[in-house]
Amino acid sequence: MHALRYGSLGERRRHENFVGPIDRPDVSMPMDYFVLTVHGPDGVTVVDTRSSAVVGVRRGRTTLTPVERLLRDVGAEPASVRRVVLMHLHYDHAGGVDLFADADIVVQADELAFVSDAVMRHNIVGAFYKCREIAAILDADRAGPSGVSTGASNWPPASNCTASADTPAAPK
């Protein structure tokens, strides 16, 4: 497994990262953004796909390295990725799904139902999603069995996990 750090959001305060009351709201809390790859016997799986470059810039994110290059650096050509697993469909997790046109997409059925609901019209909910990415995923879901999987699968396969050279060690 590789954690590929592709982006960053420099100076930020804790209250900007959470909804609702939190302790120490003015403490600095910068954020980094990652795409994960799992290299297994059945090919490469990408976990989360990034935010699109345009949306990232609009939201003040800095792209440190294009995801395509990071994938190639760990031996994963975007066109050869077999599966994309989306933890949820926020813009910073599902914004690059178009890069993996031939991959099967795995998403929770409840998440697909949620983003298809009228609740998405509310600003506080819809702000974390981008309609274009959601539409692409829903189109793939309608395309049939090679599109979006929401059922049980044999993922993740047994894999060896190693840290990517691009990923700094966690602070102690």
Side-chain angles (χ1 to χ4, degrees), residues 3 5-6 11 38 55 64 72 81 83 102 113 115 133 145 171:
R5 180 174 169 247
Y6 72 88
E11 190 52 42
V38 179
V55 172
L64 303 171
R72 289 184 181 108
V81 169
R83 181 182 301 109
D102 296 326
V115 301
E133 284 93 16

Side-chain angles (χ1 to χ4, degrees), residues 89-110:
L89 300 178
H90 285 174
Y91 70 90
D92 58 336
H93 292 253
V97 77
D98 58 328
L99 182 62
F100 307 99
D102 296 326
D104 291 331
I105 300 169
V106 180
V107 135
Q108 298 174 66
D110 287 348

